[in-house]
């Protein structure tokens, strides 16, 4: 009889690790003045990026419909994280851009992730954490910022 964990446990443990990090991130973001952000908002704001994007392109990047992307844009706009502006190249197009508040949330997130990684290094040992990261790089695609997870899950 094998002492290995059942095969289904691996994806669940990976998902739980992700969930622990994201829950801790959002708890800290709330303490730092961003209580309304939700995990999906991070995917959306990363997909908008510094240059901005359209609702159509955002939907394509996230793997969701233009309508789903538009609904999320409206929510983030109400919260003050994004704004819609006219595309100077084509006045019929609206460009979604991060506001100062949106950029602040992303910058804070990056710092919080560094702190969380340090805590994991303290718990697991820095060498062990680096080994886990190296092993995950071997079995995952090289594109770190694959943002179509919302569409893959089927909801936004």
């Amino acid at each position: 009889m094998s002492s290995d964990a059942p095969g289904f446990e691996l994806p669940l443990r990976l998902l739980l690790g992700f969930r622990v990090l994201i829950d801790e991130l959002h708890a800290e973001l709330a303490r730092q003045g961003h209580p309304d952000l939700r995990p999906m908002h991070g995917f959306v704001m990363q997909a908008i990026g510094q240059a901005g994007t359209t609702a159509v392109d955002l939907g394509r990047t996230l793997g969701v419909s233009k309508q789903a992307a538009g609904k999320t844009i409206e929510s983030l706009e109400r919260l003050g994280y994004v704004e819609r502006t006219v595309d100077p190249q084509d006045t019929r197009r609206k460009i979604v851009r991060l506001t100062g508040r949106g950029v602040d949330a992303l910058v804070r997130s990056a710092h919080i992730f560094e702190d969380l990684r340090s805590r994991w290094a303290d718990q697991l040992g820095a060498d062990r954490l680096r080994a886990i990261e190296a092993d995950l790089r071997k079995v995952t695609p090289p594109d770190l910022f694959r943002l179509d997870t919302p569409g893959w899950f089927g909801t936004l």
Side-chain angles (χ1 to χ4, degrees):
M1 183 164 173
S2 172
S3 63
D4 288 344
F8 68 82
E9 187 174 332
L10 176 61
L12 293 176
R13 290 285 171 199
L14 289 168
L15 181 61
L16 285 171
F18 174 78
R19 176 76 189 260
V20 165
L21 289 168
I22 298 303
D23 286 348
E24 289 181 18
L25 166 78
H26 282 275
E28 185 58 30
L29 278 173
R31 283 190 283 278
Q32 293 186 23
H34 296 282
D36 297 319
L37 282 179
R38 300 294 170 257
M40 201 57 66
H41 294 152
F43 285 101
V44 173
M45 291 195 302
Q46 287 290 336
I48 291 169
Q50 291 187 11
T53 191
T54 65
V56 171
D57 289 339
L58 180 63
R60 190 175 301 120
T61 300
L62 296 173
V64 299
S65 69
K66 176 187 171 186
Q67 293 78 13
K71 190 174 179 181
T72 304
I73 290 167
E74 287 173 13
S75 172
L76 286 171
E77 193 172 31
R78 275 193 309 278
L79 295 170
Y81 290 99
V82 303
E83 62 187 359
R84 293 182 228 215
T85 60
V86 174
D87 184 343
Q89 314 295 5
D90 181 352
T91 57
R92 297 169 294 172
R93 285 176 22 128
K94 296 276 187 190
I95 301 293
V96 180
R97 297 189 193 289
L98 297 174
T99 62
R101 183 167 172 74
V103 171
D104 180 69
L106 289 180
V107 168
R108 288 176 186 272
S109 293
H111 292 295
I112 294 166
F113 276 130
E114 290 298 323
D115 292 341
L116 291 171
R117 187 186 181 286
S118 291
R119 279 194 247 157
W120 278 39
D122 289 344
Q123 283 186 305
L124 302 172
D127 289 341
R128 181 70 199 117
L129 181 58
R130 280 193 294 274
I132 291 169
E133 291 168 332
D135 289 344
L136 286 171
R137 282 185 204 102
K138 289 178 189 173
V139 296
T140 58
D143 183 7
L144 250 164
F145 288 100
R146 185 164 178 190
L147 299 172
D148 65 347
T149 299
W152 184 78
F153 273 119
T155 61
L156 181 64

